């Protein structure tokens, strides 16, 4: 009998195969008739199994498979579900890599990609017709924290026979659970808050119905995007403190957002926890807190570089979702692929600063932002 601890402790096992004692068992395993471990590209390693068990439980999923990065999860999902002639409806503010994959790669393979504004259920429902095979959402969005109503849109998608996938990376299952709201798939970059320490990359695809398990498993197997056992171990270890960390990330973001909102040098704060955020009510309904991310602009956009270089606690970095507070500019992170004009057209104001709020003591963070803004 495994003890309770055996079930909880992640195990790192770098072996990519195991010896078989018996040729019948070996043949059956190779044919897929047993679930014994054959080879690392076909089967999840032990630490991946820990990650999957935890996230399947947290999201209320029927099936989950881990891959080597968040973008690998998105890639595997698209190639498992779409074929030439398929149509995807996607919100405008999705992650830059997702947009590139859809607009540049999948278009070349005969997939039609339709873009829609992401902060209006009416506009999305309007665009949902019989031609749509997949509705792809990302809520809250990065860096402007726009939101989509997962329950309402999932119901509308079902009426036209479209599947719904949600990139829930920014929220994590501690803050929102899209499958419970009616979505068919949820994907996460495990590199961000779920791993939580900026030391391992990974991704996961979870689904509400296990009928997609074979297609997703085959996608992982043939694209070769399996997760490295050491990365999987670090992510599994990160998950043991996910709930604790998310509470602190979100509490800190709430306090920092309200403090920035009162500051004379700050022009606008983008954060769903502010009562003047256009989707504040949806945020209260759909999420258990307002999330760990916020963005803001300064009155003097040309002083942004001086401000971010003046920060001593927060770090400039091209990622989000670590225990440290990380500052990102859209032109170096989420919208690195766009020109300044394209960013303006997407509604990303010049001089926008994104903050992935860490778990430091909040007084220390506010003191740091105060001294850097005073310069
Ligand atoms: C980072 C990120 C991704 C991509 O994840 P990687 O692990 O970097 O491949 C996808 N979606 C969102 C919202 C992200 O922040």
């Amino acid at each position: 009998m495994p003890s309770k601890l055996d079930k909880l402790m992640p195990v790192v096992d770098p072996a990519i195969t195991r010896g078989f004692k018996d040729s019948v068992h070996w043949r059956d395993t190779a044919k897929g008739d047993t679930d014994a471990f054959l080879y690392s590209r076909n089967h999840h390693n032990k630490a991946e199994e820990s990650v999957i068990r935890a996230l399947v439980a947290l999201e209320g999923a029927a099936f989950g498979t881990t891959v080597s990065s968040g973008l690998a999860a998105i890639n595997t999902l698209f190639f498992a579900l779409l074929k030439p002639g398929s149509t995807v409806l996607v919100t405008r503010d999705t992650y830059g890599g997702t947009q590139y994959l859809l607009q540049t790669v999948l278009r070349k393979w005969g997939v039609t990609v339709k873009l829609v504004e992401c902060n209006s259920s009416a506009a999305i429902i309007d665009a949902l017709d019989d031609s749509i095979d997949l509705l792809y959402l990302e809520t809250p969005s990065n860096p402007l924290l726009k939101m989509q109503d997962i329950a309402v849109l999932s119901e509308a998608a079902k009426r036209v026979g479209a599947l719904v996938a949600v990139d829930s990376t920014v929220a994590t299952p501690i803050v929102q659970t899209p499958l419970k709201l009616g979505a068919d798939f949820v994907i996460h970059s495990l590199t961000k808050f779920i791993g939580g320490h900026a030391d391992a990359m990974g991704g996961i695809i979870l689904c509400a119905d296990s009928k997609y398990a074979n297609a997703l498993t085959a996608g992982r197997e043939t694209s070769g995007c399996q997760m490295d056992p050491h990365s999987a171990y670090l992510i599994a270890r990160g998950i043991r403190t996910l709930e604790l960390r998310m509470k602190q990330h979100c509490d800190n973001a709430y306090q920092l957002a309200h403090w920035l909102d009162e500051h004379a040098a700050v022009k606008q704060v983008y954060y769903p926890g502010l009562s003047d955020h256009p989707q504040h009510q949806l945020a209260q309904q759909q999420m258990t807190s307002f999330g760990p991310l916020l963005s803001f602009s300064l009155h003097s956009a040309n002083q942004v570089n001086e401000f971010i270089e003046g920060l001593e606690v927060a770090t400039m970095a091209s990622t989000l979702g670590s225990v440290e507070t990380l500052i990102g500019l859209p032109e170096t992170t989420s919208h690195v692929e766009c020109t300044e004009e394209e960013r303006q057209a997407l509604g990303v104001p010049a001089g926008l600063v994104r903050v992935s709020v860490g778990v430091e003591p909040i007084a220390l963070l506010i003191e740091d932002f105060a001294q850097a803004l005073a310069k």
Side-chain angles (χ1 to χ4, degrees), residues 244-325:
L244 265 179
R245 285 186 288 107
M246 287 311 289
K247 183 174 181 333
Q248 180 80 358
H249 283 297
C250 296
D251 286 353
N252 280 356
Y254 187 86
Q255 294 199 49
L256 185 62
H258 283 82
W259 181 84
L260 286 167
D261 199 40
E262 297 288 312
H263 198 286
V266 172
K267 186 172 170 199
Q268 191 176 347
V269 180
Y270 300 81
Y271 174 68
L274 290 171
S275 55
D276 61 358
H277 185 281
Q279 293 162 300
H280 180 60
Q281 214 187 335
L282 172 61
Q284 281 175 310
Q285 221 174 292
Q286 181 160 286
M287 308 201 292
T288 58
S289 74
F290 298 108
L293 208 64
L294 63 92
S295 293
F296 66 98
S297 56
L298 296 178
H299 285 295
S300 39
N302 56 356
Q303 288 184 333
V304 161
N305 288 337
E306 239 172 295
F307 161 67
I308 59 176
E309 283 171 14
L311 288 164
E312 284 162 13
V313 176
T315 307
M316 291 181 264
S318 291
T319 188
L320 59 89
S322 188
V323 284
E324 306 85 6
T325 294

Side-chain angles (χ1 to χ4, degrees), residues 27-35:
R27 284 203 175 83
D28 288 348
T29 301
K31 280 190 294 183
D33 294 344
T34 83
D35 59 4

Side-chain angles (χ1 to χ4, degrees), residues 68-74 94-98 136 138 140-142 167-170 187-192 200-203 319-320 354:
S68 54
S69 71
L71 211 48
I74 299 168
T94 46
Y95 186 71
T98 309
Y136 187 88
E138 183 181 317
S141 75
N142 165 15
D167 181 341
S168 192
T169 297
V170 169
I187 73 99
H188 290 286
S189 167
L190 302 174
T191 316
K192 311 295 172 57
M201 294 196 78
T319 188
L320 59 89
R354 180 189 76 196

Side-chain angles (χ1 to χ4, degrees), residues 25-43:
H25 188 215
W26 183 20
R27 284 203 175 83
D28 288 348
T29 301
K31 280 190 294 183
D33 294 344
T34 83
D35 59 4
F37 190 84
L38 184 71
Y39 184 57
S40 267
R41 188 156 44 68
N42 307 75
H43 285 104

Side-chain angles (χ1 to χ4, degrees), residues 96-372:
T98 309
Q99 286 296 350
Y100 181 84
L101 187 57
L102 284 168
Q103 307 286 358
T104 307
V105 181
L106 284 164
R107 276 207 165 126
K108 210 169 62 183
W109 289 93
V111 171
T112 302
V113 180
K114 294 184 176 168
L115 271 180
V116 64
E117 275 314 321
C118 70
N119 52 354
S120 150
S121 289
I124 300 174
I125 291 171
D126 231 31
L128 264 175
D129 57 35
D130 289 349
S131 72
I132 308 295
D133 298 292
L134 175 67
L135 171 64
Y136 187 88
L137 308 173
E138 183 181 317
T139 180
S141 75
N142 165 15
L144 290 172
L145 288 308
K146 295 183 188 173
M147 303 191 45
Q148 297 115 52
D149 190 326
I150 298 168
V152 163
L153 295 174
S154 297
E155 208 183 297
K158 245 146 238 147
R159 283 199 294 271
V160 297
L163 293 169
V164 178
V166 180
D167 181 341
S168 192
T169 297
V170 169
T172 82
I174 304 303
V175 173
Q176 84 187 1
T177 44
L179 300 181
K180 293 180 186 166
L181 298 171
D184 300 288
F185 301 92
V186 59
I187 73 99
H188 290 286
S189 167
L190 302 174
T191 316
K192 311 295 172 57
F193 292 98
I194 292 180
H197 297 75
D199 56 5
M201 294 196 78
I204 192 164
I205 312 159
L206 297 144
C207 47
D209 189 329
S210 55
K211 72 179 174 194
Y212 299 103
N214 286 345
L216 294 170
T217 302
R220 174 189 186 272
E221 209 173 297
T222 52
S223 62
C225 61
Q226 69 287 344
M227 203 197 281
D228 169 76
H230 296 92
S231 298
Y233 170 81
L234 288 170
I235 290 163
R237 192 168 67 169
I239 290 173
R240 296 168 78 195
T241 55
L242 178 62
E243 191 167 356
L244 265 179
R245 285 186 288 107
M246 287 311 289
K247 183 174 181 333
Q248 180 80 358
H249 283 297
C250 296
D251 286 353
N252 280 356
Y254 187 86
Q255 294 199 49
L256 185 62
H258 283 82
W259 181 84
L260 286 167
D261 199 40
E262 297 288 312
H263 198 286
V266 172
K267 186 172 170 199
Q268 191 176 347
V269 180
Y270 300 81
Y271 174 68
L274 290 171
S275 55
D276 61 358
H277 185 281
Q279 293 162 300
H280 180 60
Q281 214 187 335
L282 172 61
Q284 281 175 310
Q285 221 174 292
Q286 181 160 286
M287 308 201 292
T288 58
S289 74
F290 298 108
L293 208 64
L294 63 92
S295 293
F296 66 98
S297 56
L298 296 178
H299 285 295
S300 39
N302 56 356
Q303 288 184 333
V304 161
N305 288 337
E306 239 172 295
F307 161 67
I308 59 176
E309 283 171 14
L311 288 164
E312 284 162 13
V313 176
T315 307
M316 291 181 264
S318 291
T319 188
L320 59 89
S322 188
V323 284
E324 306 85 6
T325 294
L326 301 173
I327 299 293
L329 302 176
E331 62 264 38
T332 55
T333 57
S334 57
H335 291 70
V336 64
E337 300 89 351
C338 303
T339 63
E340 184 56 42
E341 291 70 45
E342 285 167 337
R343 278 190 292 274
Q344 297 276 334
L346 288 172
V348 179
L352 189 79
V353 178
R354 180 189 76 196
V355 190
S356 167
V357 185
V359 300
E360 301 91 342
I362 184 62
L364 190 70
L365 272 184
I366 287 180
E367 194 183 319
D368 190 34
F369 277 67
Q371 63 80 23

